[in-house]
Amino acid sequence: MDGAPDFAASVSASGRLRVEPVERGEAFLALRDRWRALEARDPEGTVFLSWDWLAQVFADNPERWRVLAVWHGPRLVCVLPLSYRLHWSRSRQEFQTEIEAGGRLVQSAYTGFLCEPGYEDIAIDALAEALQRQPWARMSLRYDGSRSRSAKFMSAFSGTAYSVSARQHLINNGQTDTLICPRVTLPADYETWLTKGPGKNTRQKIRRYSRRYLVSGDCTLSHDPGSALKSDIGAMLRLWMRKWAPVKGARTARLLAANYLRILTTASRLGLLYLPVLRCEGRVIGALGHILDPRMKRVHFILAGKDETVTGNFIGPLLHSQAIGWAIDRGYEVYDFGHGNEAYKFSFGAQPETVSSFSIVPRSLPGPVGVLDPICRPQALARLLSFVGAGEVESAAAGCKQLLQLERAGTDLRSALADLP
C-alpha cells in the first residue's frame, strides 16, 4: 500500500488468474452476460449479488463503488463488489479510504463473494493480493452469507501486516444478535408446514386468527404490485416510524426509514418486492416488506409495520403465516426472517443461520497517498468545502496538501506507464 496506487490489472501468485477493477457504468454493463453466467454456476449466490440488483445500486451511487473481477482467461470466475467511503482522521489530519461491501450502499441484507466452485481458494487469494496493493485504512465486510469464503479471505490477510478481527452486531441493549438469521425451510404445501413447522401454541393462534379475521371477512390481505405499491410502502414506513421513533430517536428513525425505502425501491424496480398489506375497515393495520430471490427460491423478510394501537396481537402472526403460505404456493423453498434472533421468529419453525462480519486494518499506516484511494476524491472535495465553511483552516490545508500529493503520485504513475516499451 506504499506509494502511488496501482490500478492496472494484477496477476495472482499462481500466474493463472488476473484481477481487474471495474468502477464505471459502461464497464459494469459489459460484464452483464458473464456475471449472469457466473450467478448460474454459484450455488451460494444471492439476489443481492446478482448483476441486476447491483446495477440498480451502483447507478444510484456513482463514484462510490468498485468491483474486483477475477478472470481465468476469458472466463469470469469470481467478483467482489465493494463500496468506498471517506473518513477524516483528526489524529493524523488526513483523509482515509474505508472499504465496505458494495451492496451495503442500499443496506442489502447479504453481501459477500460471487464465486465459481473450484476457484474459491485461488480466486480469494488473488483478491486479497490485489487489495493489499491498493490504498485504504480499513476494510469491513458485513453480512457475508458464506462463512467459509469469509474465513478464506480473512486468512489471506493473517500475519504481521494486518489486524483481522471478527465483529459482533448486537442491538436492543445487547439482546438481539443481527448476525443470526432465522430461516424456515418450506415444504411442498402450506398445511404440511402449519402442522409440522410452528409450535403448538403458534399453530393454534394462526388457525384461530385466520378464521376470526380473514375467513370472516373482517380484515383483508392483499399485495398490489401496481399503482398502489408506492402508497403501501409509505403506509408501512409510517407505521414503523410510529413504533420506533420514540425508541431510537426521531433522527435515527428517519435515517433508518430512508435506508429501508432505498432497498424496497430497488427491489420494486426489479419486480422483486412482495408487500402483503393487512387492512381492517379499509385502514392499513400492518404490512411486511420482502425481497424475492427467484433463482435461489428464497423470500427475504426485510421490514414490518404494525399499528400498535390495535389489540389482540394477531397482526404479526397473520402476516407472516400468510406470507409463508404465499411463498409455498409459488415454489419458494426458504422463508428468511432476516437479521436478528428475536424469539418470535423461531415460533414459526425457523432455524438459526449465522453470517459473518469482520474488519481488516493495516497494523501500520503508510503515508497520506497510501491511505486515500482516488475513487474518494469527489467525497474529499466535498469535505474540504465543509471544512472551509466551518472555518477549520488547518484541516482544510492538510486535506488540500494530501489531494495535491495524490494528484502528483498519479501523474508520476501515468508517466512511468507511458515510458514502458
Side-chain angles (χ1 to χ4, degrees), residues 11-19 42 44 70-72 77-79 113-130 132 146-157:
V11 180
S12 70
S14 67
R16 296 174 56 229
L17 303 182
R18 70 183 188 280
V19 180
D42 186 356
E44 297 191 47
V70 184
W71 298 84
H72 182 195
V77 298
C78 187
V79 292
F113 309 78
L114 195 65
C115 194
E116 181 170 345
Y119 282 91
E120 284 187 353
D121 290 347
I122 57 174
I124 290 174
D125 280 347
L127 287 170
E129 182 181 328
Q132 288 168 16
S146 174
R147 297 177 68 194
S148 64
R149 292 175 182 177
S150 289
K152 293 181 196 307
F153 188 73
M154 286 189 285
S155 67
F157 285 87

Side-chain angles (χ1 to χ4, degrees), residues 71-384:
W71 298 84
H72 182 195
R75 188 181 184 88
L76 183 65
V77 298
C78 187
V79 292
L80 176 59
L82 299 170
S83 66
Y84 290 73
R85 71 183 186 91
L86 187 74
H87 169 70
W88 175 253
S89 171
R90 292 195 175 275
S91 61
R92 288 170 58 101
Q93 285 287 287
E94 67 183 11
F95 292 119
Q96 297 177 350
T97 291
E98 296 187 345
I99 301 177
E100 298 178 343
R104 295 301 289 172
L105 287 167
V106 293
Q107 305 299 305
S108 294
Y110 298 102
T111 66
F113 309 78
L114 195 65
C115 194
E116 181 170 345
Y119 282 91
E120 284 187 353
D121 290 347
I122 57 174
I124 290 174
D125 280 347
L127 287 170
E129 182 181 328
L131 281 163
Q132 288 168 16
R133 289 197 295 271
Q134 293 182 9
W136 47 273
R138 177 182 296 272
M139 177 163 44
S140 301
L141 300 184
R142 181 175 178 178
Y143 297 149
D144 183 356
S146 174
R147 297 177 68 194
S148 64
R149 292 175 182 177
S150 289
K152 293 181 196 307
F153 188 73
M154 286 189 285
S155 67
F157 285 87
S158 61
T160 59
Y162 296 91
S163 172
V164 182
S165 58
R167 302 177 66 190
Q168 284 190 316
H169 292 281
L170 303 176
I171 60 174
N172 300 331
N173 296 319
Q175 299 301 307
T176 303
D177 186 345
T178 63
L179 297 183
I180 297 177
C181 304
R183 296 172 182 171
V184 177
T185 300
L186 303 178
D189 63 273
Y190 179 75
E191 190 59 33
T192 297
W193 167 75
L194 189 55
T195 302
K196 298 182 178 180
K200 180 179 178 181
N201 186 43
T202 300
R203 179 167 57 250
Q204 290 175 344
K205 286 181 179 179
I206 291 171
R207 293 192 190 278
R208 185 169 70 251
Y209 294 154
S210 297
R211 291 192 301 267
R212 170 66 180 83
Y213 297 101
L214 296 180
V215 176
S216 69
D218 286 356
C219 296
T220 61
L221 186 69
S222 63
H223 164 61
D224 185 347
S227 59
L229 187 58
K230 184 176 180 180
S231 63
D232 287 345
I233 293 174
M236 179 177 63
L237 289 174
R238 284 191 294 273
L239 290 173
W240 183 89
M241 283 286 293
R242 287 178 199 167
K243 177 179 179 179
W244 291 107
V247 177
K248 299 178 180 294
R251 182 177 181 276
T252 298
R254 282 196 299 270
L255 291 173
L256 291 172
N259 287 335
Y260 284 128
L261 179 59
R262 279 192 287 271
I263 190 172
L264 295 175
T265 300
T266 301
S268 178
R269 290 173 185 164
L270 297 171
L272 298 177
L273 179 61
Y274 170 52
L275 198 144
V277 179
L278 186 65
R279 290 179 171 86
C280 284
E281 299 179 349
R283 179 170 61 94
V284 175
I285 63 170
L288 301 181
H290 303 81
I291 295 175
L292 306 177
D293 188 341
R295 188 180 77 84
M296 298 303 292
K297 299 186 182 301
R298 297 173 186 155
V299 175
H300 298 279
F301 164 59
I302 301 297
L303 177 70
K306 185 174 69 171
D307 189 336
E308 299 294 329
T309 67
V310 175
T311 59
N313 195 30
F314 63 90
I315 298 175
L318 263 187
L319 282 169
H320 279 296
S321 62
Q322 294 300 307
I324 287 172
W326 182 93
I328 291 172
D329 289 344
R330 285 154 183 80
Y332 286 93
E333 297 175 354
V334 173
Y335 187 85
D336 174 18
F337 272 98
H339 299 288
N341 57 338
E342 295 93 338
Y344 82 88
K345 298 177 180 179
F346 298 101
S347 71
F348 290 89
Q351 297 298 314
E353 296 285 344
T354 303
V355 296
S356 67
S357 179
F358 58 90
S359 180
I360 301 173
V361 179
R363 293 188 185 277
S364 63
L365 293 178
V369 172
V371 293
L372 180 60
D373 192 296
I375 201 172
C376 291
R377 187 183 287 111
Q379 297 178 59
L381 292 172
R383 189 67 182 273
L384 283 177

Side-chain angles (χ1 to χ4, degrees), residues 44-58:
E44 297 191 47
T46 75
V47 66
F48 305 105
L49 288 171
S50 68
W51 187 93
D52 298 80
W53 179 267
L54 289 168
Q56 297 286 325
V57 174
F58 294 159

